[in-house]
């Protein structure tokens, strides 16, 4: 019989950071280009991140990277998201997101297999 991993507060914050990354990318795309093209750009950016995340970071992925390589790629995604947010006029939101996300995932580094 296998035991299910417990989900704690750090895991919840990390999951909320993942969702915030997608929302921030959609908002950044809309800030870079006006009209429907901005929404399309934001959705494209979010879909790219979802593809990267599902291939190399998702717990159920067959290609999941091992730590610390996974953490390095996550940090790169968080910083890239912050840069896109800054380009879309959401500089403060991007900086806050990157700092919180890096701290949240960094705190899980030792416990995350």
């Amino acid at each position: 019989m296998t035991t299910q991993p417990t989900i704690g507060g750090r895991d919840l914050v990390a999951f909320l950071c993942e969702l915030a990354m997608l929302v921030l990318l959609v908002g950044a795309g809309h800030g870079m280009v006006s009209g429907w093209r901005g929404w399309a750009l934001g959705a494209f950016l979010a879909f790219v991140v979802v593809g990267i995340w599902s291939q190399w970071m998702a717990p159920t992925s067959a290609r999941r990277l091992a730590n610390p390589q996974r953490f390095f790629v996550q940090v790169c995604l968080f910083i890239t998201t912050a840069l896109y947010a800054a380009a879309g006029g959401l500089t403060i939101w991007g900086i806050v997101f990157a700092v919180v996300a890096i701290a949240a995932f960094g705190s899980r580094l030792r416990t995350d297999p």
Side-chain angles (χ1 to χ4, degrees):
M1 184 160 131
T2 61
T3 60
Q4 294 288 11
T6 59
I7 297 175
R10 290 183 206 172
D11 299 316
L12 177 62
V13 172
F15 179 68
L16 292 175
C17 286
E18 294 172 28
L19 294 178
M21 179 169 47
L22 300 177
V23 171
L24 193 57
L25 285 169
V26 171
H30 184 260
M32 285 189 269
V33 182
S34 63
W36 68 269
R37 288 180 181 92
W39 293 115
L41 175 61
F44 173 75
L45 293 172
F47 281 126
V48 169
V49 168
V50 167
I52 292 169
W53 200 273
S54 66
Q55 286 295 310
W56 294 305
M57 267 70 79
T60 56
S61 174
R63 296 183 183 130
R64 188 176 196 207
L65 296 173
N67 275 324
Q69 292 87 7
R70 183 172 65 240
F71 180 65
F72 176 74
V73 174
Q74 289 168 339
V75 169
C76 290
L77 282 176
F78 300 150
I79 291 172
T80 302
T81 299
L83 292 172
Y84 273 112
L90 304 170
T91 305
I92 300 299
W93 285 105
I95 292 170
V96 169
F97 163 76
V99 169
V100 170
I102 291 169
F105 280 85
S107 72
R108 297 174 65 234
L109 192 57
R110 293 184 191 262
T111 60
D112 199 16

